[in-house]
């Protein structure tokens, strides 16, 4: 690239003037010169055009071509819900300290169920190692941070 600048004295002097006038770095100036040299000379010459009279409107018509882009394709059939096919499985038989918890989801963590029932359970490690979050689920001790809501009756008692 430097050899190309040396063979074109006009570009070299223009580059030097640009560096001094605009107070830009040599790197910025060489990038600008590279862009100038990479374009054809025809890009800087005004094109000779024939005068034609075109009708103009104030409409930009930017989205006119995209009018049907987001419509449903009739050949695909009816749109279906892409979420869970049957929805989440709820367990309505969940209680925390005797207080019913509506809409508890099967396999939801016990810690989340206790939080939704506004029952404070102490936590420390959040992965079942320390035993700080021990509760009783159906009479058996379990760690609330890793235990999940069963499909049947679930009576949670804090210790």
């Amino acid at each position: 690239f430097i050899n190309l600048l040396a063979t074109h004295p006009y570009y070299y002097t223009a580059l030097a003037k640009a560096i001094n006038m605009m107070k830009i770095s040599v790197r910025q100036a060489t990038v600008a010169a590279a862009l100038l040299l990479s374009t054809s000379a025809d890009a800087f010459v005004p094109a000779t055009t024939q005068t034609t009279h075109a009708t103009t409107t104030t409409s930009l018509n930017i989205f006119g071509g995209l009018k049907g882009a987001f419509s449903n394709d009739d050949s695909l059939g009816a749109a279906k819900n892409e979420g869970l096919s049957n929805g989440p499985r709820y367990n309505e038989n969940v209680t925390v300290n005797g207080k019913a918890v509506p809409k508890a989801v099967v396999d939801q963590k016990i810690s989340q169920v206790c939080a939704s029932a506004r029952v404070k359970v102490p936590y420390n490690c959040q992965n079942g190692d320390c035993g700080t979050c021990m509760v009783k689920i159906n009479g058996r001790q379990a760690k609330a941070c890793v235990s999940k809501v069963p499909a049947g009756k679930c009576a949670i008692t804090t210790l």
Side-chain angles (χ1 to χ4, degrees):
F1 177 72
I2 300 298
N3 293 336
L4 186 60
L5 280 177
T7 58
H8 290 77
Y10 173 74
Y11 292 123
Y12 184 76
T13 56
L15 180 63
K17 285 181 183 178
I19 291 171
N20 290 333
M21 287 176 54
M22 297 190 307
K23 305 219 186 290
I24 59 176
S25 69
V26 174
R27 181 177 179 170
Q28 290 172 332
T30 51
V31 169
L35 289 173
L36 284 173
L37 291 174
S38 67
T39 60
S40 68
D42 295 335
F44 298 103
V45 177
T48 57
T49 59
Q50 298 175 357
T51 56
T52 58
H53 298 287
T55 58
T56 59
T57 64
T58 57
S59 172
L60 294 176
N61 200 19
I62 293 172
F63 298 108
L66 298 176
K67 184 176 14 177
F70 299 105
S71 63
N72 288 335
D73 188 0
D74 293 334
S75 66
L76 297 175
K80 60 181 179 178
N81 185 2
E82 293 301 328
L84 295 171
S85 59
N86 296 325
R89 295 184 317 170
Y90 291 110
N91 185 349
E92 298 296 332
N93 298 322
V94 177
T95 58
V96 177
N97 293 338
K99 180 179 175 183
V101 180
K103 294 190 176 181
V105 179
V106 175
D107 290 334
Q108 184 178 19
K109 286 188 178 182
I110 298 293
S111 59
Q112 292 174 338
V113 172
C114 289
S116 68
R118 299 190 182 247
V119 174
K120 188 159 175 87
V121 176
Y123 301 103
N124 199 7
C125 67
Q126 293 288 336
N127 60 5
D129 291 335
C130 67
T132 306
C133 61
M134 291 299 279
V135 293
K136 283 189 176 182
I137 303 173
N138 294 333
R140 294 184 179 178
Q141 286 196 349
K143 297 174 184 172
C145 63
V146 293
S147 299
K148 298 185 178 197
V149 174
K153 180 182 176 256
C154 179
I156 303 167
T157 309
T158 57
L159 301 177

